[in-house]
Amino acid sequence: MVKEEFEPGIRDPRKTRLIYGGIFLLVLIVLGASTLPAYRAFKKFRAHQMTEEAIIHLEKDNFEQAWEKAQTAYQLYPLDAEVARTAAKVYSRLDPSQAVAFWQEAYELSEDREDLIELIDAAILARQLDIAEENIKELKALGQPLGTAFYHEARLKLLEMDVTEAIAAAQQSLTEGGAPEDAPFLYIQLTQFSQDPAVRAEGIEYLRELARKPNTIGIKALRRIGAFPENTPDELREVIDAVNNHPARERNDLLYALELEMRLPDASAKDNLRKASELFNKDDLGELTEYGRWLNRQRRYGQTLEIITEKQALSRSDLFLVWADALAALDKWDKIGEVLSLSNLPIQRYQFLLFQARLYFETGQYDRGEFAWTRALLQVANQPRQLWYLEGYAMRLGLYEQARETLDRLTQLASTRREAYEKLVQLEQKHGSVESLREVLKRMSEAYPRDLMVKNDLAYANLLLNEEVQQSAEVARELVDDGSLFLANRITLALAYYRLGQMSKAAEVLDTLGIDWNQARPGFRAIYAAILRANGRTTDANKLLTNINVGALLKEEQELLGQTRG
């Protein structure tokens, strides 16, 4: 969404409407307008006023305030398309599973095509495939343009693991009008899932065609070509030249070309850094900050300290953070300690405590580091933006326990609860245990009792641990019997039969799916392979495990393979 900018001295017209709205309400009260129509008009006006406030907060990423305003507006005047739409927009950012019902209501009240498209998108993101399918049919029934309908059908078919139908729908979206800008890239992505080498080659050739376009699509295509791991030095040079000479190139694209150039065997770091330096006006502290960030991303911390003086760093917060991160990356902890002892640093108190905690952790003072981290958490209280800053900082440094603490705090806020739980799940999958993952899923299940995917994931965790097997088997059977097309649900049911000793039933659940198992998650392939081995089908199991990333398996998934290894 494009944010409106207003010149100094010119009032944002939305705020002007809010002020006049308040005057209008005061007049209404003074006049004693107590009739039912007037009261309804008052509620509608006030609700619309709060939806405008909610959108302003949403544009500024003030999710907690946006959620409160949208919720209050909906409670005040629910049967209104704009009110329902605003609630849907807020939930789309916070929790797509709850956004679906609001988009449904907005579309029923407005019959607006754009509301229907948003409903489909929310349903796909929330994995409510039956609702998505039903409304894609509705969108097609509305007639031209049909590109968006086939684009979302391609996304739906991919979730159903039907790659062939997904590719066909994506192709159709390109021939119809009105498809989203990223429709060509969805088609290309889908072709790479195909088992047919000719289809994969066709997708790459189409990507190369897009790269010749003189617009932003051409730049996006070039970036995707540059990301190919099999690129030769000559192919990389072709991409670099194409980006540097592209009519739609911007500074970030030229920096990307320099990053590609650094991967060449004959690359000159000195020349590349000189070229990057020429893209920034280093007399402008804002530009200097951006240049420092880029250098840090390239791990050129020494150059960051060369271009940013201590005096400059102490003059503004964003420059200080870039400069201090470079010091930390070079283990200059004595210098950081010296700087932190200064008064009037240009950073907020919680950022000071964060650097202090890192200083203590890095110098082996763990108790003091934990105390400083706790103080930082207390300092930010329930402010989502600052909490996310702490979480991101902890994850970058590998401070996973501190990241858990911060995410736990974020799960207590309505506006960040869903995303925080999802990040906790990812954290436990990568850096925790199945036991800790299950505890998070239990809490998430209590927070979202109607979320079927959470139910499934909790059942799967129980079955991996070989605990609560009967109860988890019932959950898995119920989800599949209700018509779920998700592979995750089928895997959970198959694992349930495996744990119950019903090996032939476990195989039956998966044998008839007809999917490309090479595109499935490594953990799912491991479960199916264990089931195949338990049924004496060792050759099929070994074929399924070809090129599997064992490092991506949970410990219990690896143990299942070990128990059935032939």
Side-chain angles (χ1 to χ4, degrees):
M1 180 182 294
V2 176
K3 297 183 181 179
E4 295 183 75
E5 297 290 341
F6 300 96
E7 296 178 16
I10 298 179
R11 188 187 298 276
D12 183 337
R14 295 174 299 188
K15 293 181 180 178
T16 302
R17 287 196 297 271
L18 297 179
I19 293 170
Y20 288 148
I23 296 171
F24 170 77
L25 293 179
L26 181 60
V27 171
L28 197 64
I29 293 168
V30 170
L31 292 176
S34 57
T35 63
L36 186 58
Y39 179 59
R40 285 177 179 166
F42 158 68
K43 290 204 300 180
K44 180 177 181 179
F45 185 87
R46 183 66 184 121
H48 280 203
Q49 198 175 37
M50 284 187 284
T51 62
E52 289 196 19
E53 294 172 8
I55 294 300
I56 291 171
H57 284 304
L58 194 61
E59 290 174 354
K60 295 178 179 178
D61 291 343
N62 296 330
F63 298 126
E64 191 77 16
Q65 296 93 324
W67 178 80
E68 288 175 359
K69 292 292 183 182
Q71 185 184 51
T72 305
Y74 187 80
Q75 291 171 346
L76 182 63
Y77 201 75
L79 298 178
D80 181 89
E82 186 58 37
V83 172
R85 187 180 297 120
T86 300
K89 286 178 180 178
V90 173
Y91 276 112
S92 290
R93 297 283 297 275
L94 303 178
D95 183 358
S97 66
Q98 296 195 51
V100 173
F102 288 105
W103 281 120
Q104 281 180 313
E105 188 170 333
Y107 176 60
E108 288 169 3
L109 292 166
S110 70
E111 298 185 353
D112 186 295
R113 183 189 192 93
E114 293 304 314
D115 287 337
L116 179 59
I117 292 170
E118 294 285 359
L119 165 58
I120 293 167
D121 184 59
I124 289 174
L125 290 174
R127 304 298 193 266
Q128 297 181 21
L129 303 193
D130 52 342
I131 293 176
E133 183 174 20
E134 176 187 343
N135 286 284
I136 288 171
K137 291 178 182 176
E138 172 86 5
L139 185 57
K140 287 181 178 179
L142 294 180
Q144 297 289 344
L146 294 172
T148 299
F150 283 105
Y151 167 80
H152 288 301
E153 184 174 11
R155 296 173 65 202
L156 176 66
K157 293 300 180 184
L158 178 60
L159 288 175
E160 293 174 350
M161 299 294 287
D162 191 337
V163 174
T164 302
E165 287 296 318
I167 293 173
Q171 279 182 312
Q172 189 71 22
S173 77
L174 299 179
T175 62
E176 302 284 350
E181 187 177 290
D182 67 333
F185 300 107
L186 174 63
Y187 165 69
I188 293 162
Q189 176 190 1
L190 291 170
T191 61
Q192 302 314 293
F193 293 151
S194 174
Q195 292 180 294
D196 186 343
V199 173
R200 295 198 297 273
E202 184 181 324
I204 297 301
E205 181 55 35
Y206 182 59
L207 179 62
R208 296 190 186 281
E209 286 179 26
L210 292 180
R212 291 190 281 272
K213 290 184 176 291
N215 52 22
T216 55
I217 288 179
I219 284 287
K220 288 179 182 178
L222 285 169
R223 282 177 171 265
R224 282 164 172 77
I225 294 172
F228 290 168
E230 66 274 13
N231 277 330
T232 65
D234 286 342
E235 288 170 332
L236 276 179
R237 288 188 184 93
E238 287 181 17
V239 175
I240 292 165
D241 289 342
V243 171
N244 283 332
N245 295 295
H246 198 282
R249 70 188 183 278
E250 295 181 352
R251 182 169 67 188
N252 283 339
D253 302 310
L254 295 174
L255 290 171
Y256 172 72
L258 286 174
E259 291 165 19
L260 291 182
E261 207 166 327
M262 289 178 182
R263 289 161 49 184
L264 295 174
D266 57 349
S268 167
K270 183 178 180 180
D271 286 347
N272 287 333
L273 290 172
R274 176 185 54 77
K275 292 175 185 176
S277 175
E278 292 171 355
L279 296 174
F280 296 90
N281 175 12
K282 292 177 288 299
D283 292 330
D284 182 301
L285 293 184
E287 290 265 303
L288 186 64
T289 302
E290 290 301 315
Y291 184 34
R293 284 180 181 142
W294 184 81
L295 288 171
N296 281 356
R297 285 197 298 272
Q298 311 314 310
R299 300 186 178 183
R300 301 286 178 174
Y301 306 111
Q303 282 82 4
T304 300
L305 297 180
E306 287 176 10
I307 65 163
I308 301 174
T309 67
E310 182 173 340
K311 182 179 179 181
Q312 288 171 323
L314 294 173
S315 69
R316 51 188 284 170
S317 62
D318 52 358
L319 203 53
F320 177 87
L321 294 173
V322 171
W323 179 74
D325 276 343
L327 286 174
L330 294 174
D331 291 329
K332 295 182 178 292
W333 300 110
D334 288 343
K335 180 62 178 177
I336 290 177
E338 175 189 322
V339 170
L340 291 180
S341 68
L342 299 175
S343 59
N344 299 321
L345 291 177
I347 55 175
Q348 296 185 48
R349 177 65 178 170
Y350 80 93
Q351 292 171 321
F352 169 82
L353 291 167
L354 192 60
F355 271 104
Q356 193 176 63
R358 185 176 180 185
L359 170 64
Y360 290 143
F361 284 131
E362 295 287 354
T363 55
Q365 303 175 71
Y366 298 109
D367 289 343
R368 298 182 75 180
E370 289 177 3
F371 181 64
W373 184 273
T374 301
R375 290 177 66 199
L377 271 178
L378 291 172
Q379 186 71 34
V380 301
N382 292 328
Q383 301 177 69
R385 188 173 299 182
Q386 286 88 337
L387 285 167
W388 282 125
Y389 183 90
L390 262 64
E391 182 269 339
Y393 201 87
M395 288 298 295
R396 286 197 303 274
L397 298 179
L399 301 172
Y400 301 125
E401 190 54 45
Q402 283 69 31
R404 285 186 184 94
E405 285 182 53
T406 311
L407 288 169
D408 280 337
R409 176 76 64 82
L410 285 160
T411 63
Q412 297 167 28
L413 305 178
S415 64
T416 56
R417 182 172 297 130
R418 182 75 190 204
E419 185 179 359
Y421 270 124
E422 288 173 353
K423 288 204 169 190
L424 268 175
V425 167
Q426 294 168 12
L427 175 61
E428 299 304 344
Q429 286 174 332
K430 293 180 180 178
H431 305 291
S433 63
V434 175
E435 288 88 350
S436 61
L437 172 62
R438 179 175 62 174
E439 290 309 307
V440 172
L441 288 168
K442 281 182 178 179
R443 289 167 48 199
M444 197 173 180
S445 182
E446 292 171 1
Y448 302 100
R450 290 184 290 180
D451 191 310
L452 301 183
M453 291 308 295
V454 175
K455 276 187 179 180
N456 178 81
D457 291 348
L458 178 56
Y460 183 72
N462 282 329
L463 291 165
L464 281 179
L465 295 168
N466 206 13
E467 297 176 10
E468 301 183 33
V469 173
Q470 195 63 49
Q471 178 184 343
S472 299
E474 290 172 6
V475 169
R477 270 194 293 264
E478 180 183 343
L479 291 173
V480 172
D481 288 346
D482 283 346
S484 170
L485 299 173
F486 282 118
L487 177 59
N489 298 143
R490 302 277 176 163
I491 288 288
T492 302
L493 180 58
L495 180 57
Y497 283 131
Y498 176 92
R499 289 301 195 193
L500 292 168
Q502 301 175 36
M503 300 305 175
S504 60
K505 276 192 172 184
E508 285 173 13
V509 172
L510 303 177
D511 281 344
T512 58
L513 292 183
I515 65 172
D516 180 6
W517 282 94
N518 289 322
Q519 304 303 327
R521 269 177 43 189
F524 292 173
R525 290 167 64 186
I527 297 298
Y528 191 20
I531 290 169
L532 291 173
R533 283 176 175 170
N535 280 279
R537 296 161 58 184
T538 305
T539 302
D540 290 340
N542 292 340
K543 182 179 178 182
L544 187 65
L545 294 173
T546 303
N547 298 324
I548 192 171
N549 180 7
V550 178
L553 299 179
L554 296 170
K555 178 172 68 74
E556 287 73 10
E557 291 166 343
Q558 293 185 40
E559 289 173 354
L560 277 173
L561 283 179
Q563 292 167 8
T564 59
R565 189 173 299 278

